[in-house]
Amino acid sequence: METYDHFKKYSILIAEDDPIALNSLVNILKRYFKNVITATNGYEAYDNALSQKVDIILTDMRMPYQDGADFIEQLREFDLNVPVIFMSAHTDSKTLLRVIPLNITDYLVKPIQIEKVLSLCHVLLKKKAALSEEQHTAKHLYQLNNGVHVDLTHKVVSHEGTMLLLTKKEFELLSLLIKNRHSVLSKTQIEYLLWSGEVISESSVKTLVKKLRSKIGEDAIETVKNLGYKISLLS
């Protein structure tokens, strides 16, 4: 039988409107996880997912105010990677078609088996730990399309041997764009990932992009109309 001692480093969010089912899940999962965060509807789950560190989400499909699919669809605008396990008594094609595009890990039919939940969490957290270790040991050296070199590990940016001095926030934006180099990041995503709930001005992202461009080159950051920003790296 698997042991789940490594769960103690992680947090899980449970979204479930049935108080009996929720309490049952909490009583079991709190034995394994560092934090068990709860919500009884999609709105509350969304707020908790954004305001607290969440490593795995276990969510019911049918909930009041906002259901699980709408909650995860909204969350995916900010966080593309957090693993999501759905729980539902419904297996109709309409329900399944709503969750398939949301990059979910699994869809469990109620009544769920807790050992199945623990097994899924075990696999997900092992992958998370392996990825973290891989990222820690990687060199993280990149070259922009205009010849600017970026060393994310040592936080060094240079061009033709000359160091480019970036502010902390400018480097955070550059790092964010590089780590998401295969995606277009929206203004809203950048606001959330760089300022994490702080009150900022409407023009903060645009101003920061402008300042970063002035140092690494105008063509280094591509503006994708009506979508957001994308870094231009040498392939």
Side-chain angles (χ1 to χ4, degrees):
M1 184 176 177
E2 292 283 3
T3 60
Y4 305 113
D5 295 341
H6 59 294
F7 287 17
K8 283 298 182 183
K9 297 187 293 183
Y10 301 102
S11 298
I12 186 169
L13 168 62
I14 309 172
E16 167 64 74
D17 64 318
D18 182 337
I20 297 176
L22 179 60
N23 287 337
S24 177
L25 286 169
V26 169
N27 287 335
I28 295 172
L29 294 178
K30 71 181 182 182
R31 303 174 195 168
Y32 300 98
F33 284 87
K34 178 182 179 181
N35 291 312
V36 177
I37 305 159
T38 63
T40 57
N41 61 71
Y43 289 138
E44 186 182 6
Y46 178 74
D47 287 342
N48 288 342
L50 292 189
S51 62
Q52 302 185 58
K53 184 180 183 300
V54 174
D55 297 293
I56 294 179
I57 294 173
L58 179 63
T59 181
D60 190 14
M61 180 62 188
R62 300 288 172 89
M63 295 185 290
Y65 308 120
Q66 184 184 52
D67 68 17
D70 287 339
F71 153 47
I72 297 302
E73 182 178 12
Q74 190 176 8
L75 183 66
R76 285 294 184 234
E77 295 178 9
F78 297 95
D79 192 329
L80 303 175
N81 300 315
V82 63
V84 176
I85 302 169
F86 266 97
M87 307 177 289
S88 180
H90 303 274
T91 57
D92 57 283
S93 59
K94 184 177 179 181
T95 299
L96 295 175
L97 287 172
R98 288 186 64 203
V99 302
I100 287 173
L102 301 178
N103 186 27
I104 68 169
T105 298
D106 211 332
Y107 189 97
L108 303 181
V109 179
K110 292 182 175 182
I112 64 169
Q113 297 179 341
I114 196 63
E115 190 58 40
K116 175 65 174 177
V117 174
L118 293 172
S119 178
L120 283 171
C121 290
H122 173 72
V123 172
L124 292 169
L125 294 176
K126 283 289 188 182
K127 287 182 179 178
K128 184 181 181 73
L131 179 61
S132 178
E133 179 64 23
E134 180 183 319
Q135 290 174 339
H136 181 71
T137 57
K139 290 184 177 179
H140 286 172
L141 300 175
Y142 300 92
Q143 185 175 355
L144 308 188
N145 66 347
N146 58 5
V148 170
H149 291 265
V150 182
D151 181 343
L152 293 183
T153 301
H154 299 98
K155 299 184 178 180
V156 174
V157 183
S158 62
H159 184 240
E160 296 180 348
T162 301
M163 294 272 290
L164 303 179
L165 300 179
L166 273 57
T167 65
K168 181 176 182 290
K169 194 62 75 175
E170 288 165 356
F171 188 83
E172 286 177 356
L173 174 59
L174 178 58
S175 177
L176 181 65
L177 290 169
I178 290 175
K179 290 176 180 177
N180 293 275
R181 56 193 175 277
H182 301 302
S183 306
V184 176
L185 289 181
S186 69
K187 172 178 171 288
T188 305
Q189 285 175 312
I190 294 172
E191 286 175 343
Y192 168 68
L193 293 168
L194 291 191
W195 283 277
S196 190
E198 294 179 38
V199 178
I200 59 174
S201 69
E202 181 67 24
S203 61
S204 292
V205 171
K206 186 176 181 180
T207 300
L208 184 59
V209 169
K210 183 178 180 180
K211 289 180 178 178
L212 181 56
R213 277 175 169 156
S214 72
K215 296 181 179 181
I216 66 172
E218 290 291 329
D219 58 344
I221 302 174
E222 177 187 356
T223 298
V224 182
K225 189 175 181 181
N226 298 325
L227 293 177
Y229 301 97
K230 191 176 190 299
I231 197 74
S232 297
L233 295 179
L234 286 181
S235 56

